[in-house]
Each structure stands twice: as C-alpha cells, then as structure tokens.
Amino acid sequence: MTYVFSPPAIASVAVAGSDARFPVRRIFCVGRNYVDHVREMGNDPKSEPPIFFTKPADAVVESGAAIAYAANTSNLHFEVELVLAIGKGGADIAEADAASHIWGYAVGVDLTRRDRQAEAKKVGAPWDVAKAFDQSAPIGAIAPAGAALTKARIHLDVNGVTKQDSDIAEMIWSVPEVVAHLSRSWALQPGDLVFTGTPSGVGPLAIGDQVQCAVEGLPPLSFSIVAR
C-alpha cells in the first residue's frame, strides 16, 4: 500500500518486566468517579451515569519524561488515576465478564487545562480543549493483570509533598462497572486504555515541578514540567 506520506508511529506504553510494548488504540477517561473529588468539584456523587471523554492515543508520555507546560492555559492541573489496559475487545460487556477483557493495570495522570474546562462547562461545550491535548496522558509501565484490583492506595506527590491520597476502593463506579458502561457506547478493542477517574486534591502545576505518583502494587510514574 502506498501512502501520500509516511504514517505516524504507533503510540505505545512500556510493559513492566518486559521489552514488549503495549500498542495504544484509543484512550477513554471517566469523569467524576471518586466521591470526594465529585464533591470537590461541586457535584452530587452517583446522581447520573458515568461521564466519558477521550484523549488521542499519541497523548501518552513515558515515565521519567519532561513534559512541556501546555499551551493555551494558565491553570494546568494534575489528576492521578488507575488505568486499565484492554486486551480483549467486546461490546455490551457484562460486569461479571469485565476482568477477562483487562490485559493489565497502570498508574496515569490526566493532565487538564482547568481554565478551559471551566469555560466549557459554563456553556455546555465539549471538553476536548481541556483534556485532549498533546502530552496530556503520562502513564507508567503496564503490569499484566493478576487478581482483580479492588483495593489499593493511589497517591500523587508534587515536589515531595503529597497532594492526592486515596484508595481505588473509593471509586463510585467500580472497574467492572466502568468497563460495562463504556462498552455500551463503544466496542472496546485490544489496545484501548481506560483512565478510571481521580480522587480529591487535584491542583495546579508550575514549570519546574517534579511529580511522582503510584497505585499500590503497580510500577510508579514520575515526570517533570518544563517550559515550552
């Protein structure tokens, strides 16, 4: 097959303990999935179905990277999240079958242009500018799934100071519920990543900040924020 220009490289994420890479097809994200964060943002927990939005596959950034402070914002926020790596596709997946579709788990950060998100919310506009920008999805190495993750500490530090500290057991929508709900609107495929929401404590980042975060039992993630 001949292309009019060379196709871009496939985005991928490191796999813990292996030289293999996890190819990324799409990135789905869940909004408002921890009770404390929902209240922090002025909303009512579980008053409505999960909110989903997406990021482009090439928004992924490896652990250890220097991430340029995003353009078109003066209020860049961190949001630490458990990430699901989908290894088996399907639509209308039952909650009881969700675990069989998960290839692995990782820790990620949903970088957010909070000022642009506030503007979008005010007029009911999509969140693309606020969420789906370059380098907006740093992610640690993916650990192949073993037992289902139902309880694990999730936390994020900026310059050695803890900003977010919770447990994935505090998610409003559990991992099986997230997979089931998501698969009702999109047919999931191998290579999809699902960011499952963030606890309270989200806040701004500045040039020079060093970020470290982890989900208990998974490879940690670290990155720095640098000038464009």
Side-chain angles (χ1 to χ4, degrees), residues 1-215:
M1 181 179 295
T2 301
Y3 296 99
V4 296
F5 53 83
S6 297
I10 296 173
S12 65
V13 177
V15 173
S18 172
D19 292 332
R21 306 280 301 179
F22 184 90
V24 180
R25 174 181 174 265
R26 298 186 72 174
I27 300 174
F28 298 97
C29 305
V30 185
R32 305 175 186 172
N33 200 27
Y34 282 77
V35 172
D36 52 2
H37 178 56
V38 171
R39 290 178 175 148
E40 175 182 56
M41 301 302 287
N43 297 292
D44 180 24
K46 217 160 189 175
S47 61
E48 55 189 29
I51 295 172
F52 296 108
F53 57 92
T54 63
K55 292 176 181 277
D58 62 2
V60 296
V61 184
E62 297 273 7
S63 183
I67 298 176
Y69 194 97
N72 191 25
T73 184
S74 59
N75 197 15
L76 180 67
H77 274 214
F78 55 80
E79 298 188 3
V80 66
E81 313 204 2
L82 171 68
V83 180
L84 317 178
I86 302 298
K88 183 175 75 172
D92 295 315
I93 298 168
E95 289 179 27
D97 298 329
S100 68
H101 293 262
I102 298 172
W103 188 89
Y105 300 96
V107 60
V109 171
D110 167 19
L111 291 176
T112 301
R113 291 168 168 150
R114 191 70 73 204
D115 42 4
R116 302 289 82 85
Q117 185 184 35
E119 292 168 356
K121 286 181 176 180
K122 184 178 293 187
V123 297
W127 290 4
D128 297 64
V129 172
K131 295 286 192 177
F133 53 92
D134 297 342
Q135 297 188 304
S136 63
I139 182 172
I142 299 171
L149 275 183
T150 57
K151 183 175 176 60
R153 183 190 179 206
I154 180 170
H155 60 98
L156 179 145
D157 297 354
V158 179
N159 302 325
V161 178
T162 300
K163 299 293 187 178
Q164 293 184 271
D165 196 347
S166 188
D167 195 288
I168 64 169
E170 297 300 315
M171 288 196 296
I172 298 169
W173 305 98
S174 67
V175 166
E177 289 175 318
V178 166
V179 172
H181 275 284
L182 185 60
S183 70
R184 292 172 195 163
S185 296
W186 291 274
L188 299 180
Q189 296 292 341
D192 289 341
L193 296 177
V194 184
F195 282 60
T196 58
T198 194
S200 65
V202 300
L205 290 168
I207 293 168
D209 281 347
Q210 303 288 323
V211 179
Q212 300 85 31
C213 53
V215 170

